[in-house]
Amino acid sequence: MEKLIGVWIAAFLTLCIYSFLYRDNPFYRFAEHLFVGISVGYGIVLSIHQGLIPLAWTPFWQAITQWPPGWGLTKLIPIAIGLLFFARLIPNYAWLIRYPIAILMGIGSGLAIPNVMQADIFRQVHGTLVPFSQIHAGTLSGSEIFGAILMLIGVISTLTYFFFSVEHRGVVGGVSKVGIIFLMIGFGSAFGNTVMGRVSLLIQRVEFLLQDWLHLI
Amino acid sequence: MKPKSACLLGLILFFTCKIITLAQLSEFSSEEFRATDEITAGKPPAPPTNIKATDKKNDDGTHITISWTKSADDGNGANNVTSYNILRKSPESNFETITKTLIKTGKTDYTDDTVKRDKTYSYLVQAVTASGTTSNSEVTGAEATASWFHTGKKWLFLSVVLFSVVVIYSIYHARSGKNIFIRRIPGLEAVDEAIGRATEMGRSILYILGLGSVSNVATIASMNILSQVARRTADYETALRVPCNDPIVMNVVREMVKTAYLEGGHPDAYQEQDIFFLTESQFAYAAGVDGIMLREKPAAVFLQGTFFAESLILAETGNSVGAIQIAGTDKEHQLPFFIAACDYTLIGEELYAASAYLSREPMLLGSLKGQDYGKLMIFAAIVVGVILELIGVNWVTTFFDKVSN
């Protein structure tokens, strides 16, 4: 019985969301508000259980109850910095919120930039160069050599497109146009690939409606 | 003899022979095999030797690697060892098994990733036979310690330092007052057009930062663009609505927009409630933003930041309400959707260049110039690397191998 009620609710909400394809209407608005509200509530509970209790409350309680006080007290520093977010609720001290924001953005950038350089730049350069060592060793077939040269042209021309302090005229302009062609070919294949994924999601939903709800298939 | 009788006699003879053979076999198994079983089941295999527990270097103190030399009975003799088992003794407990499944033979090391920093653990390795007989190695121990520096990343560190020096030099150069050229970026030239359109129509501007957190590079770039957009909306007194997916991003955005309105000389025009938290859930956020688009019908929609599967849902809805749309992301899988559904799209790094392009601030322009120098170095490294590889010299490739791992 519970399953049956669940299927009917899910089918009703699915149709409410799909009604958006026609126009904005009370059914869509109901489903939208329900979806947003439930997700916020779920998010709050998740934050309490996965963030607040294990990362703030438990270390705080251990730090203040431990005797003699040791390194555990250092955990009070990030907790205090986090509490500064609430300073915005007191107009006279709202400026204090800039400290946790600055720390978060600094740490975030510091962690992200080396990772981006490593994964998106250096690894790609390495991948571009490796086939040429194999060409020298004579281990690549004709089509693989063609692929390696095509990859080299693609990387260099696309890189040229992303030079911002040089005017894209003459040779630079021509090479960057080749880069745009490579980019668009890449986007085209990504588009096709992703659309196929989305169509499978639609099929899954239609299958739910026709099979689990209406029992037509 | 008739064929039927011959067939019957043949069958009787066949089954008689079979019964005799089975009887002989059962007699053999009941005596000979039983004796073999008694020998193997009772005798433990040779234990693993040379057991070593080593604290893993360059980690946060949560890994200890255990290595051993395989048992003499591994793949040998009647007491054939079929697997190994690791037992650990922590300061709080006695020896207990830590391997979820038995380790297959041929493997002679195991990394324990369930240890706690600054605690000493003892380990022993068990050799296990098919019949379940075990034999313990000697006990060894190690303390899990954290490393201050990841020595394997020194080349990456040096590369980042070099890149930073180039960027800082470029910023100082730009601050000296020299003019820095930035090429035309069509998507950014349309920003003023979009804000002007919203002002003329008396409608709002919807700025969507995507799903990135405050530590995401694209989100940081998007917030910088928002700051520039906010300066213009402050001048034109156009409503700017920013639904946020992350509460921390919302707080940062509120501060940035407030500062932009203050610097633009219009602090009273700042409306804090227009920058609000919607939800952290991806598709609930998409549903909520779609609802806002349909009801408020913004004249301009900015989709700048990190986007995933919701990108097309948002861009299509923005398109359906007739808004001028300027999108930008570094997620290459979402860029095709923006290109298809939006008026202008900032591709990848154009998003990062946008704030410098819009503000023309020397610091940001210098940073952009420094990034171009970095790209020039990469460009040169690729060309030189390819030439060297073709003549059999591979030190450029080796360098990038070290930096990228």
Side-chain angles (χ1 to χ4, degrees):
Chain A
M1 187 63 189
E2 290 90 351
K3 196 188 170 191
L4 187 71
I5 293 168
V7 167
W8 272 83
I9 291 172
F12 172 69
L13 291 173
T14 302
L15 292 175
C16 285
I17 291 287
Y18 277 147
S19 69
F20 175 80
L21 293 170
Y22 168 61
R23 58 184 293 183
D24 188 27
N25 61 75
F27 291 105
Y28 175 74
R29 251 176 272 175
F30 168 72
E32 175 206 328
H33 286 85
L34 189 73
F35 196 7
V36 172
I38 286 176
S39 69
V40 171
Y42 181 71
I44 290 170
V45 174
L46 214 63
S47 299
I48 290 169
H49 286 281
Q50 293 184 354
L52 186 68
I53 293 172
L55 300 176
W57 176 252
T58 308
F60 170 76
W61 188 249
Q62 282 173 352
I64 60 166
T65 53
Q66 185 183 339
W67 189 263
W71 284 102
L73 282 177
T74 55
K75 288 174 183 169
L76 294 177
I77 298 170
I79 292 169
I81 293 169
L83 284 172
L84 289 179
F85 269 110
F86 293 98
R88 64 180 299 276
L89 300 173
I90 312 161
N92 284 344
Y93 296 97
W95 56 274
L96 281 171
I97 196 175
R98 294 182 174 199
Y99 287 99
I101 287 173
I103 289 167
L104 266 178
M105 289 185 78
I107 291 172
S109 305
L111 287 172
I113 290 170
N115 284 338
V116 168
M117 286 181 77
Q118 187 178 24
D120 292 353
I121 301 173
F122 297 140
R123 209 163 281 167
Q124 196 173 349
V125 173
H126 180 252
T128 309
L129 294 178
V130 164
F132 288 91
S133 67
Q134 292 165 336
I135 289 174
H136 179 260
T139 54
L140 288 191
S141 65
S143 61
E144 286 170 330
I145 292 171
F146 176 74
I149 293 168
L150 199 67
M151 179 68 80
L152 177 69
I153 295 168
V155 170
I156 283 180
S157 57
T158 308
L159 196 61
T160 307
Y161 173 76
F162 287 107
F163 277 103
F164 294 104
S165 58
V166 182
E167 197 156 8
H168 285 192
R169 278 185 188 169
V171 178
V172 177
V175 175
S176 68
K177 270 182 188 162
V178 175
I180 274 288
I181 292 168
F182 271 94
L183 279 173
M184 290 306 153
I185 291 169
F187 291 154
S189 63
F191 188 91
N193 184 35
T194 316
V195 164
M196 291 305 288
R198 304 289 164 82
V199 169
S200 71
L201 288 177
L202 175 69
I203 291 169
Q204 208 177 17
R205 215 63 222 149
V206 173
E207 196 180 357
F208 163 75
L209 290 175
L210 297 180
Q211 195 173 17
D212 296 0
W213 183 45
L214 297 173
H215 304 289
L216 290 176
I217 53 172
Chain B
M1 191 179 280
K2 285 181 180 177
K4 267 190 180 176
S5 309
C7 194
L8 191 65
L9 185 64
L11 273 172
I12 291 166
L13 276 171
F14 172 80
F15 281 111
T16 312
C17 290
K18 200 77 188 166
I19 289 162
I20 293 166
T21 314
L22 283 171
Q24 283 173 345
L25 272 174
S26 67
E27 199 178 329
F28 176 75
S29 61
S30 62
E31 290 173 10
E32 297 291 323
F33 282 176
R34 193 180 300 142
T36 315
D37 280 351
E38 277 169 9
I39 293 163
T40 52
K43 191 181 169 188
T49 53
N50 293 328
I51 178 170
K52 282 178 195 163
T54 323
D55 174 46
K56 193 179 175 190
K57 301 288 176 204
N58 297 325
D59 77 337
D60 58 347
T62 54
H63 295 82
I64 289 177
T65 304
I66 305 108
S67 64
W68 61 92
T69 301
K70 65 179 188 178
S71 158
D73 288 329
D74 186 339
N76 182 31
N79 291 314
N80 193 10
V81 171
T82 53
S83 54
Y84 293 98
N85 197 16
I86 312 279
L87 281 85
R88 182 183 76 188
K89 181 178 181 294
S90 65
E92 297 88 20
S93 67
N94 237 323
F95 274 106
E96 55 190 12
T97 304
I98 55 165
T99 41
K100 285 175 187 164
T101 53
L102 292 171
I103 301 166
K104 288 181 180 171
T105 51
K107 202 167 184 306
T108 55
D109 62 75
Y110 176 82
T111 301
D112 180 10
D113 58 0
T114 57
V115 296
K116 287 185 179 169
R117 193 163 52 211
D118 297 329
K119 288 197 173 178
T120 304
Y121 295 87
S122 302
Y123 294 91
L124 65 83
V125 181
Q126 273 184 342
V128 185
T129 64
S131 60
T133 316
T134 59
S135 169
N136 293 348
S137 71
E138 289 179 355
V139 176
T140 186
E143 185 185 358
T145 55
S147 304
W148 280 97
F149 298 102
H150 193 309
T151 52
K153 302 261 181 190
K154 61 176 182 276
W155 288 106
L156 178 65
F157 172 72
L158 289 172
S159 304
V160 173
V161 168
L162 176 67
F163 176 67
S164 305
V165 167
V166 171
V167 170
I168 291 166
Y169 167 77
S170 303
I171 290 170
Y172 274 101
H173 186 71
R175 277 182 170 169
S176 67
K178 292 193 177 173
N179 187 33
I180 290 179
F181 171 79
I182 299 290
R183 75 164 166 86
R184 189 175 155 268
I185 302 174
L188 294 175
E189 289 192 346
V191 168
D192 281 331
E193 183 193 334
I195 297 169
R197 185 172 182 263
T199 310
E200 281 172 13
M201 295 172 80
R203 290 196 202 157
S204 62
I205 291 170
L206 191 66
Y207 196 103
I208 302 158
L209 291 122
L211 303 183
S213 68
V214 77
S215 60
N216 190 293
V217 179
T219 309
I220 294 170
S222 175
M223 288 192 288
N224 284 331
I225 298 170
L226 173 58
S227 177
Q228 300 306 320
V229 170
R231 281 174 191 233
R232 286 163 168 79
T233 56
D235 287 339
Y236 297 130
E237 294 188 6
T238 311
L240 175 65
R241 304 262 287 155
V242 189
C244 296
N245 168 260
D246 184 312
I248 296 172
V249 168
M250 181 197 73
N251 279 303
V252 178
V253 165
R254 278 184 171 175
E255 279 301 303
M256 290 184 97
V257 173
K258 191 176 176 182
T259 307
Y261 273 70
L262 273 171
E263 287 175 359
H266 304 280
D268 295 338
Y270 171 67
Q271 300 291 328
E272 191 172 81
Q273 71 275 12
D274 281 348
I275 301 160
F276 54 95
F277 172 70
L278 204 56
T279 171
E280 282 187 290
S281 166
Q282 180 187 14
F283 289 108
Y285 179 74
V289 172
D290 276 359
I292 292 168
M293 282 187 196
L294 284 176
R295 272 152 242 148
E296 296 185 5
K297 297 206 173 357
V301 174
F302 288 83
L303 296 143
Q304 307 281 338
T306 300
F307 292 87
F308 298 95
E310 76 290 349
S311 63
L312 188 60
I313 300 171
L314 299 173
E316 269 299 317
T317 311
N319 191 38
S320 71
V321 298
I324 182 169
Q325 296 199 101
I326 302 174
T329 184
D330 57 357
K331 295 285 171 200
E332 63 268 26
H333 281 90
Q334 309 310 323
L335 275 167
F337 297 117
F338 282 154
I339 289 168
C342 297
D343 299 282
Y344 300 95
T345 305
L346 303 178
I347 301 168
E349 212 187 329
E350 286 180 344
L351 176 71
Y352 308 151
S355 51
Y357 186 90
L358 289 171
S359 68
R360 302 276 162 181
E361 279 182 27
M363 196 184 86
L364 295 173
L365 288 172
S367 169
L368 195 60
K369 183 81 180 169
Q371 288 171 46
D372 270 8
Y373 282 132
K375 276 173 263 179
L376 194 64
M377 285 192 278
I378 295 292
F379 192 101
I382 292 173
V383 174
V384 172
V386 167
I387 294 167
L388 289 178
E389 282 294 347
L390 289 174
I391 58 172
V393 181
N394 63 357
W395 58 263
V396 177
T397 313
T398 310
F399 170 77
F400 279 106
D401 186 31
K402 281 182 181 171
V403 178
S404 58
N405 287 306

